[in-house]
Amino acid sequence: MKKVLKNNVSWVGYMDWEIKKFHGDDFTINHGSSQNAYLLEYDKTVLIDTVWTPHRFDFVENLKKEIDLKKIDLIIMNHGEADHSGALPALMAEIPETPIYCTAAAVKSLEGQYGQNGWNFHVVKTGDSIEIGPGRTLTFVEMKMLHWPDSMATFLSGDNILFSNDAFGQHYAVAELYNDLADQCVLYQEAVKYFVNIVHPFCIFLSKKLAEIAALNLPIEMIAPSHGVIWRDNPAQIVEKYALWANAYQEDQITIAYDTMWEGTAKIAHALAAAIKEASPQTVVKIFHIAKTDKNDLMTEIFKSKALLVGSPTACNDMLSSVAGMLSFTKSLRFRNKKAAAFGCYGWSGEAVKNIQSALKDAGFNVLEETVKSFWNPTEETLNQVPALVEALLKEDK
Amino acid sequence: MEKFACEPCGYVYDPAKGDPDSGIAPGTPFAALPDDWCCPICGASKDMFKKVD
Ligand SMILES: [Fe+2]
Ligand SMILES: [Fe+2]
Ligand SMILES: [Zn+2]
């Protein structure tokens, strides 16, 4: 059943309580999610986005219960990714002539995924608009790299709703639809996790884009993203958060992430945590065993931190594979303005610590020379390296 | 001729191919691109490009 947001605008998406993983298996989902699609019924009937492929038939059947599909004058695809376009082929099979409004890059992504089907694409650019009824105009805003080259947002005047697609979204199922009806702790936890893991690599575009949207002076009363809640209560709050998060955000937190084979490197991790806590009691210190921690949650903790300490024993002349994978993920998210250091145990060759240092440098961290390296299990003597590392870590940069 | 890669998105400008979608003919060196030319994928400006070695 459609859910009316305002006047002739309704939600016609899919509330996905069962989904546990997203982007293949690369993003964990803990509280369900939604794929939000919207139906606008003015002089023109407009569908904005669809849902993920597994739900395509449900989506088309539900839509048929609301309207005669032939009444749809145009479809807007804000983004070509399969979680929004997955039902498009099934829908187009029913109404093959319907114009599809999207960016030039979205034509490429849609044809790349579904083949060349002779669909009636109308390429739009920032500032292009269509009137769909009295006092109701849709204006398009390209959102390149937020988070794909084809992303865009659509603004509906009169109702003053910004359909922002993936920007400002969260993987969070809320049947009540609105931000003010959601659990605020979970909402922000999901919003920041989504931001870090999906939007953060493109921060440099975000600050510019937010300024550009602000300059358009749109009287935004509601932000309707493609996942999670619709921001109707003070929608500016999430825009302000994005502006804050995109600008080398950090809290007074230090994250220690390690893997261990026989607990030696774990002991160093805990010794470092205790020493930091003693030297700087107000600093939040968190320890994570990389192989046992959800990687998306770990990225969110690193994002919040001013420094990251990474530990691994040396095995087969290198760090453990879990640590290498974590560092590769960290690099792809493009964190900046954070300190880092490396530690670990070894039995003979001991390459892990220096390899972690170079991977951290490569990932954009300011890496300390100080390390804690332990020949076999840590002794009092090896732990003597801890204070120097902690001092360098906590030293304010001049 | 030297290729240049876009830092934000990874697109590589290959002078041999040019950028026909933006009206840049094949054979145009990176240095000869107009100042307002931008990355056809992500829209980044010319100064965001680095030489590929
Ligand atoms: Fe997406
Ligand atoms: Fe999405
Ligand atoms: Zn680019």
Side-chain angles (χ1 to χ4, degrees):
Chain A
M1 264 258 292
K2 72 181 184 187
K3 297 179 186 178
V4 175
L5 302 188
K6 207 173 184 184
N7 300 316
N8 302 0
V9 180
S10 339
W11 178 91
V12 289
Y14 187 87
M15 200 56 67
D16 205 336
W17 293 101
E18 284 78 16
I19 191 168
K20 289 289 169 203
K21 295 281 180 75
F22 187 77
H23 278 165
D25 287 296
D26 225 38
F27 189 105
T28 51
I29 291 183
N30 300 321
H31 302 96
S33 186
S34 65
Q35 297 118 43
N36 300 333
Y38 301 95
L39 187 66
L40 285 43
E41 297 168 278
Y42 288 103
D43 292 348
K44 288 197 167 106
T45 300
V46 180
L47 176 70
I48 301 183
D49 296 331
T50 74
V51 302
W52 186 31
T53 324
H55 313 309
R56 62 196 185 280
F57 299 123
D58 280 339
F59 174 76
V60 173
E61 287 313 307
N62 287 336
L63 203 55
K64 275 184 189 170
K65 287 177 199 152
E66 303 300 341
I67 48 157
D68 175 1
L69 296 183
K70 295 199 171 58
K71 279 190 67 185
I72 298 176
D73 294 290
L74 58 121
I75 299 167
I76 293 170
M77 290 305 306
N78 275 330
H79 176 33
E81 199 165 6
D83 51 326
H84 310 294
S85 66
L88 193 60
L91 185 63
M92 293 309 282
E94 307 251 1
I95 46 170
E97 309 298 327
T98 313
I100 300 170
Y101 284 66
C102 63
T103 61
V107 175
K108 286 188 192 166
S109 78
L110 290 169
E111 290 191 337
Q113 292 172 93
Y114 306 113
Q116 297 194 351
N117 301 300
W119 290 343
N120 180 11
F121 288 114
H122 287 239
V123 170
V124 295
K125 293 201 213 57
T126 296
D128 288 354
S129 61
I130 332 171
E131 220 185 291
I132 60 165
R136 296 294 186 286
T137 301
L138 290 171
T139 304
F140 305 106
V141 183
E142 287 171 79
M143 302 277 276
K144 276 187 184 183
M145 302 317 282
L146 295 169
H147 69 126
W148 272 15
D150 66 3
S151 300
M152 73 169 186
T154 301
F155 181 71
L156 170 63
S157 70
D159 298 311
N160 297 328
I161 304 174
L162 182 71
F163 298 95
S164 60
N165 196 265
D166 283 337
F168 311 124
Q170 337 84 49
H171 285 302
Y172 183 20
V174 178
E176 296 72 29
L177 282 188
Y178 299 108
N179 68 313
D180 50 298
L181 303 179
D183 178 317
Q184 298 302 301
C185 287
V186 181
L187 174 58
Y188 268 98
Q189 186 186 320
E190 292 302 332
V192 72
K193 175 180 170 183
Y194 187 99
F195 177 88
V196 172
N197 286 274
I198 293 180
V199 182
H200 193 276
F202 310 107
C203 274
I204 53 162
F205 297 104
L206 185 64
S207 307
K208 255 166 78 182
K209 185 50 71 175
L210 292 177
E212 190 192 314
I213 294 174
L216 294 173
N217 268 319
L218 304 173
I220 298 170
E221 287 171 28
M222 215 183 249
I223 295 178
S226 55
H227 303 284
V229 301
I230 294 161
W231 303 88
R232 70 170 176 190
D233 175 44
N234 181 22
Q237 64 180 291
I238 190 64
V239 183
E240 284 157 16
K241 282 286 184 213
Y242 267 47
L244 188 72
W245 292 338
N247 191 19
Y249 179 82
Q250 55 180 240
E251 298 173 11
D252 186 5
Q253 175 175 329
I254 294 175
T255 292
I256 302 172
Y258 73 94
D259 200 349
T260 192
M261 288 170 75
W262 304 111
E263 302 302 323
T265 303
K267 286 199 181 86
I268 304 175
H270 286 263
L272 282 165
I276 296 166
K277 207 67 205 161
E278 202 182 313
S280 178
Q282 76 282 3
T283 300
V284 173
V285 181
K286 296 189 185 179
I287 305 176
F288 298 95
H289 184 305
I290 295 167
K292 299 188 201 305
T293 303
D294 179 289
K295 65 181 174 184
N296 305 112
D297 289 340
L298 180 53
M299 291 303 130
T300 309
E301 295 298 337
I302 295 171
F303 163 74
K304 290 193 279 182
S305 300
K306 61 181 182 182
L308 169 67
L309 305 186
V310 179
S312 174
T314 296
C316 309
N317 305 98
D318 206 346
M319 66 190 95
L320 293 177
S321 63
S322 67
V323 182
M326 190 280 279
L327 287 168
S328 162
F329 194 13
T330 306
K331 180 186 176 186
S332 73
L333 297 186
R334 299 179 190 222
F335 297 122
R336 291 296 176 263
N337 199 31
K338 295 185 194 301
K339 285 187 181 180
F343 61 95
C345 298
Y346 66 103
W348 48 100
S349 58
E351 291 90 340
V353 168
K354 81 169 168 16
N355 290 354
I356 291 171
Q357 284 182 310
S358 65
L360 283 166
K361 264 181 212 141
D362 191 38
F365 288 81
N366 308 323
V367 182
L368 303 181
E369 275 168 36
E370 289 80 0
T371 63
V372 177
K373 248 183 113 170
S374 182
F375 183 60
W376 295 98
N377 277 346
T379 59
E380 214 171 290
E381 200 188 322
T382 50
L383 292 179
N384 282 341
Q385 301 164 80
V386 169
L389 192 157
V390 170
E391 194 189 328
L393 194 65
L394 294 174
K395 198 170 72 192
E396 294 288 330
D397 290 317
K398 299 277 146 57
Chain B
M1 269 188 290
E2 284 160 338
K3 295 178 185 176
F4 283 73
C6 174
E7 241 241 298
C9 82
Y11 163 85
V12 175
Y13 177 77
D14 179 354
K17 292 187 188 142
D19 176 17
D21 287 352
S22 316
I24 305 296
T28 308
F30 186 79
L33 291 169
D35 287 342
D36 61 354
W37 178 85
C38 59
C39 173
I41 300 294
C42 75
S45 51
K46 257 183 95 173
D47 57 335
M48 306 286 272
F49 280 71
K50 282 208 180 91
K51 200 169 86 189
V52 183
D53 16 55

